Amino acid sequence: MLDSTIEDRSAHGGCLRRGQNSERGLECLTGVRLSVFDTLIIDPMFVGNGDDQYGWIERTYLQKSELLEAAKVTQGDVRSKWRWKSGVHDFEIELVQGKAYDYLPVKVTFKSKDTSRPDHFGETAIKWKKHLSGKFLPYVLKMASESPFGQKQEHHHWVLDWRLGDELPSDFFQCGLSDFRTQFTPIYDFKVDVYARPSGLILGTPWKTPEALIEDE
């Protein structure tokens, strides 16, 4: 299983197309360990954490957090509130699960309860799309948080394009090729930008930023 993300990190061994500031290009990431489904419901500040992220769902909600309340809200969605106190972390978490998406998470908010860090926060909004297999898969992720490395905010905006099972050939992860991008073009139906002398940059298939894709929905 692979996700290819526009403007940000992908799953380990995956590839991305950058959208920030209308940059063009494709980058292959082979050292990123990222579990998309775990990352959906943790504070976005952990997205860049180099530690193994698998299992955060169980650790954060089932082992370390206290369930404060839960209720059905608009359109049958479920909203729950949790308190996560662990080490230096002290958050109140609000989790909204969408009835239309089999109660998968659609919004997660982390608010600091630590008086020494009152502005510490994390917000994630998730859009889901049904795959041909009938399964809902995350399509758009918008994340924001206070940066753990300074007084600023970090923002992540991902558009995910999934390939499951036989949709992905076994040799897909041959990133050691002289031009690793060529293996992606038939799968994602695009031509990459190339630089050649003396003509310089030759643009490939035009593509849209995450914002433009959402506007087309």
Side-chain angles (χ1 to χ4, degrees), residues 61-93:
Y61 289 83
L62 302 182
Q63 299 175 13
K64 297 182 178 180
S65 295
E66 174 189 2
L67 176 62
L68 303 178
E69 62 180 78
K72 283 192 175 182
V73 292
T74 306
Q75 297 179 339
D77 295 350
V78 174
R79 180 175 62 199
S80 57
K81 292 186 178 181
W82 309 71
R83 184 70 178 272
W84 177 26
K85 297 179 67 176
S86 177
V88 298
H89 305 304
D90 188 355
F91 288 108
E92 184 174 273
I93 306 172

Side-chain angles (χ1 to χ4, degrees), residues 16-120:
L16 62 87
R17 299 181 70 178
R18 295 192 179 278
Q20 187 175 20
N21 298 327
S22 299
E23 293 179 5
R24 302 176 63 90
L26 185 74
E27 179 179 345
C28 196
L29 303 178
T30 57
V32 177
R33 296 183 60 85
L34 184 65
S35 173
V36 172
F37 287 94
D38 272 336
T39 302
L40 294 177
I41 48 74
I42 65 171
D43 189 300
M45 75 172 181
F46 295 107
V47 169
N49 193 324
D51 297 335
D52 190 345
Q53 297 184 5
Y54 298 109
W56 281 73
I57 294 175
E58 289 80 6
R59 292 199 302 271
T60 300
Y61 289 83
L62 302 182
Q63 299 175 13
K64 297 182 178 180
S65 295
E66 174 189 2
L67 176 62
L68 303 178
E69 62 180 78
K72 283 192 175 182
V73 292
T74 306
Q75 297 179 339
D77 295 350
V78 174
R79 180 175 62 199
S80 57
K81 292 186 178 181
W82 309 71
R83 184 70 178 272
W84 177 26
K85 297 179 67 176
S86 177
V88 298
H89 305 304
D90 188 355
F91 288 108
E92 184 174 273
I93 306 172
E94 183 174 285
L95 172 65
V96 179
Q97 296 165 256
K99 180 181 179 180
Y101 306 107
D102 293 340
Y103 294 101
L104 290 163
V106 294
K107 186 175 182 181
V108 189
T109 304
F110 283 71
K111 294 182 179 178
S112 175
K113 306 299 290 186
D114 186 347
T115 55
S116 65
R117 301 186 67 183
D119 297 328
H120 198 171

Side-chain angles (χ1 to χ4, degrees), residues 74-201:
T74 306
Q75 297 179 339
D77 295 350
V78 174
R79 180 175 62 199
S80 57
K81 292 186 178 181
W82 309 71
R83 184 70 178 272
W84 177 26
K85 297 179 67 176
S86 177
V88 298
H89 305 304
D90 188 355
F91 288 108
E92 184 174 273
I93 306 172
E94 183 174 285
L95 172 65
V96 179
Q97 296 165 256
K99 180 181 179 180
Y101 306 107
D102 293 340
Y103 294 101
L104 290 163
V106 294
K107 186 175 182 181
V108 189
T109 304
F110 283 71
K111 294 182 179 178
S112 175
K113 306 299 290 186
D114 186 347
T115 55
S116 65
R117 301 186 67 183
D119 297 328
H120 198 171
F121 78 100
E123 295 179 354
T124 301
I126 308 126
K127 290 188 176 183
W128 298 84
K129 179 183 290 186
K130 184 169 285 190
H131 184 261
L132 293 176
S133 64
K135 300 180 182 297
F136 282 109
L137 296 174
Y139 170 53
V140 177
L141 306 181
K142 297 181 70 174
M143 312 174 79
S145 71
E146 177 195 33
S147 171
F149 306 110
Q151 298 301 315
K152 63 178 182 178
Q153 295 184 8
E154 289 190 353
H155 295 261
H156 304 269
H157 191 159
W158 302 359
V159 176
L160 306 176
D161 186 6
W162 292 86
R163 297 294 185 270
L164 303 179
D166 294 339
E167 296 175 343
L168 193 66
S170 58
D171 60 353
F172 187 82
F173 295 105
Q174 293 181 355
C175 287
L177 301 176
S178 57
D179 187 346
F180 66 86
R181 300 172 300 172
T182 56
Q183 63 195 356
F184 304 108
T185 57
I187 296 174
Y188 290 97
D189 192 25
F190 71 94
K191 295 182 179 179
V192 299
D193 300 344
V194 297
Y195 187 87
R197 294 181 178 179
S199 55
L201 181 64

